[in-house]
Amino acid sequence: MAPTLAPAPVSKRKQNCTQATDDRLAVLDTQFGEFGVVFNADWQIIRTHFMDYPDDDPNEPWASAFARIARTHPKVRDVMKRIEAYFKGDLKTSFAAIPTPAGPPFYHRCWNTCRRIKPGTTISYAELAERSGSPMASRAAGQAMRNNPVPIIVPCHRIIGHNGHLGGFSGSNAPSSVHLQLKRGLLDFESTR
């Protein structure tokens, strides 16, 4: 599970990208495919992504928009070591030292609440809203999870519908979507550890 070190090829997608050119992508091979972590110029994480799963937004520049990097910077080494440990089954791996990216206040509260959910357990969107201080805002809590920029670090896959259905993941709620298959896979992975 070593990170990819080769630079990503420059593509038309990258040339048309509106992302800052100094953002960097570190990639880790996992049992769920490539997992990318984007760092900004200050070495803060701004996004994570399961790269083998297409985005809903075809204009999203994702992997082709960033220069791939090696684990040379201490923050990159630390983050990637933690993520690698998680995917190897060490569910006690702590992401607490990794700041939650900025976002609207309610989203930020939901993301921080979500980070406290133990691996292998789930709560409903309604419970997430209640724990985040807005018990009537379960739909808004769902939107916070949909807009989570850092899956795994903020484990949004642990939030499900009140009826036990998976809800959505990575912007998709179609029952047969690859995104919901990934969510089920992550929950199964955590529950067997």
Side-chain angles (χ1 to χ4, degrees), residues 1-4 27-29 71 84:
M1 291 194 195
T4 302
V27 178
L28 181 69
D29 289 322
R71 292 187 188 184
E84 186 173 26

Side-chain angles (χ1 to χ4, degrees), residues 3-184:
T4 302
L5 302 179
V10 175
S11 67
K12 287 183 182 178
R13 213 170 168 191
K14 181 174 181 176
Q15 293 166 353
N16 296 329
C17 174
T18 58
Q19 293 284 345
T21 57
D22 52 356
D23 290 346
R24 303 158 181 99
L25 173 68
V27 178
L28 181 69
D29 289 322
T30 77
Q31 63 270 45
F32 299 100
E34 287 188 326
F35 186 76
V37 181
V38 178
F39 295 84
N40 66 16
D42 296 324
W43 298 103
Q44 299 297 313
I45 294 175
I46 57 173
R47 180 128 187 234
T48 62
H49 187 72
F50 287 94
M51 295 171 56
D52 294 340
Y53 295 83
D55 286 327
D56 288 341
D57 181 358
N59 297 317
E60 180 72 28
W62 239 104
S64 62
F66 307 103
R68 290 192 181 203
I69 57 171
R71 292 187 188 184
T72 55
H73 192 280
K75 286 187 180 179
V76 174
R77 269 196 313 268
D78 178 60
V79 167
M80 298 307 283
K81 181 179 174 184
R82 291 169 192 263
I83 292 170
E84 186 173 26
Y86 168 85
F87 281 115
K88 284 184 174 181
D90 182 0
L91 302 182
K92 293 181 182 179
T93 300
S94 174
F95 297 115
I98 301 170
T100 304
F106 181 68
Y107 283 17
H108 206 262
R109 288 196 317 267
C110 287
W111 297 336
N112 285 330
T113 299
C114 184
R115 290 177 80 157
R116 293 190 291 274
I117 301 167
K118 292 185 178 176
T121 62
T122 58
I123 65 170
S124 70
Y125 294 98
E127 189 173 345
L128 175 64
E130 185 174 325
R131 289 184 186 185
S132 299
S134 298
M136 302 303 289
S138 60
R139 287 181 187 253
Q143 286 302 308
M145 294 300 98
R146 178 187 178 113
N147 291 292
N148 171 19
V150 288
I152 300 302
I153 293 168
V154 173
C156 54
H157 60 280
R158 297 179 190 154
I159 312 300
I160 61 172
H162 71 280
N163 56 5
H165 290 123
L166 290 179
F169 189 67
S170 245
S172 177
N173 61 3
S176 63
S177 77
V178 295
H179 296 100
L180 284 187
Q181 292 172 20
L182 174 60
K183 182 174 185 173
R184 169 54 57 210

